[in-house]
Amino acid sequence: MSTASVEQAFEPEPVALTAIADEIMERHPGYRVEIIGGHLLVTPAPDGAHARALTNVMLPFIAAGLHGGETEVLQGIGVWLPIDDEDYAIPDLAVVDADFEDHLVKNNAYEPVCFRIVLEVTSGNWKNDLKTKVTAYAQAKIPVYVIVDRKHQRLHVLTDPTGGRYENHRPHAPGDIVTLPDSIGAKVTLDVDEILKAGQPKVS
């Protein structure tokens, strides 16, 4: 009887994208890593003007009484996306129901049902906010999506997610005063000029 050697093919275990995302954030503090449509989106730490615009746009939400009680105004809270198994995004700002911690899915991301609005302030990778995340947030049925578009000097308000898209998309120019939908829980008005100016680096 002859014998033959049998070589067993070595197949490494697939690495979860969430594990890769965690490793990137550990190695590069300040970077934001998201997974949308099964793809890693890596955003470097924002500049000071981005942070200033974010603070300026957050203040009207707090002044309207949305932080405390039935809702909270939070920065950098993860929203789990119903696209692929590991998908999640981390919007710059969100208004969430006060019981959002009861809706934890995993990887510090929460079910989209507890999000009333998400807001992004654009950085160098502005196309993600204006395209990729529009579809992702609509598929997650986030009722309102606001984009502070520093690249094109506009503030976008998207509402009524249906069939993976927002039915209504209104861009606003400097000089406009925008009132957001009552569905977020209070009357919030945004001064587009003030917010966009805050997002511009100061020239010495």
Side-chain angles (χ1 to χ4, degrees):
M1 177 185 294
S2 62
T3 61
S5 62
V6 177
E7 294 185 4
Q8 185 172 358
F10 175 71
E11 294 185 6
E13 288 289 325
V15 178
L17 284 176
T18 50
I20 297 172
D22 291 342
E23 184 177 346
I24 292 172
M25 288 187 288
E26 184 177 336
R27 291 185 178 186
H28 303 280
Y31 277 57
R32 178 173 298 182
V33 184
E34 302 161 292
I35 303 171
I36 299 179
H39 299 283
L40 287 164
L41 303 182
V42 182
T43 306
D47 60 15
H50 178 285
R52 184 169 55 240
L54 182 56
T55 297
N56 278 31
V57 79
M58 180 176 63
L59 292 175
F61 290 92
I62 294 173
L66 287 169
H67 190 63
E70 294 183 359
T71 57
E72 293 191 38
V73 181
L74 303 175
Q75 295 185 32
I77 179 175
V79 54
W80 198 257
L81 300 172
I83 305 170
D84 282 347
D85 290 342
E86 297 183 280
D87 279 16
Y88 69 92
I90 307 174
D92 287 318
L93 189 72
V95 176
V96 297
D97 295 336
D99 68 348
F100 73 93
E101 288 172 297
D102 295 336
H103 296 273
L104 177 65
V105 181
K106 59 183 175 180
N107 213 44
N108 293 326
Y110 300 84
E111 292 176 318
V113 69
C114 63
F115 286 74
R116 299 191 182 193
I117 182 173
V118 293
L119 183 146
E120 301 281 8
V121 178
T122 62
S123 294
N125 57 349
W126 51 270
K127 289 182 181 178
N128 287 336
D129 295 329
L130 292 173
K131 295 181 179 180
T132 306
K133 288 189 175 182
V134 169
T135 301
Y137 290 145
Q139 289 178 325
K141 294 184 168 52
I142 305 289
V144 183
Y145 177 29
V146 173
I147 308 166
V148 179
D149 181 3
R150 298 194 296 160
K151 172 71 174 179
H152 305 98
Q153 290 295 285
R154 292 289 184 270
L155 186 143
H156 302 264
V157 179
L158 297 92
T159 59
D160 304 314
T162 304
R165 61 186 294 270
Y166 283 100
E167 289 292 325
N168 296 302
H169 176 187
R170 297 191 63 184
H172 298 274
D176 291 350
I177 302 295
V178 179
T179 301
L180 297 178
D182 293 340
S183 62
I184 65 176
K187 182 178 180 180
V188 174
T189 58
L190 302 177
D191 184 324
V192 177
D193 190 55
E194 178 184 298
I195 293 167
L196 290 174
K197 280 183 177 177
Q200 296 305 303
K202 293 182 179 178
V203 180
S204 56

